[in-house]
Amino acid sequence: MAKQLDYHTIRRIFDRFHEAEPEPKGELEHVNAYTLVVAVALSAQATDAGVNKATRGLFAVADTPEKMLALGEDGVIEHIKTIGLFRNKAKNVIKLSRILVEEYGGEVPNSRAALESLPGVGRKTANVVLNMWWHYPAQAVDTHIFRVGNRTGICPGKDVVAVERAIEDNIPVDYQQHAHHWLILHGRYTCVARKPKCKACLIADLCQFEDKTE
């Protein structure tokens, strides 16, 4: 685990991220808050590209919890069977849809606790939805952010909650909204797990990672 970087270094890092991509976007396709919740829940242990391929057809016929319930669990399975753990995920999609209809009038709640109470929705999923749909600066820490945060020193921590707290505590407020997207994209395409692309990295000179690739 790298040592926590100082304020000025972190600001320089995010200045560069912002200059390279001023408005980073999440890669999961969705049409409303409900389809975003479903897409993020389906993305556990799956790629965004794989989820998008499966949900295009699903969301074309079921873009509300009411329509999803009408489709039924078997109908959901037919659309998402190319995704890992599809049976359990289909079950959760139907369960969370029923709860949204019965307890929230078919609307997606916008508190972290309410979102986390839905089947198949954990803290990371809740934070993605709060950030992407309601533009609240919640930080969804996935494996990419955990790796980048600890390698670079931007937001080191022993677990995902510690990394989430490090982001909130150390990244300047004006960069909080997009912080998790910049970090995810950096980890997905540059600071990859096995052979990080340090030569192509726009923050290599500010990063504390000792085993930089040539």
Side-chain angles (χ1 to χ4, degrees), residues 28 31 56 66 86 88 96 110 124 164 167 179 193 199 208 210:
L28 284 172
V31 296
R56 280 175 202 138
E66 292 86 354
F86 66 90
N88 193 52
L96 74 83
N110 62 352
K124 185 187 82 170
E164 182 181 327
I167 295 173
K199 269 190 176 180
Q208 293 194 59
E210 293 180 355

Side-chain angles (χ1 to χ4, degrees), residues 1-4 146-147 149-153 155-159 162-163 208 210:
M1 186 191 300
K3 181 183 174 185
Q4 175 68 59
F146 189 80
R147 178 175 66 254
N150 279 292
R151 266 185 185 167
T152 62
C155 47
K158 291 181 179 178
D159 54 44
V163 171
Q208 293 194 59
E210 293 180 355

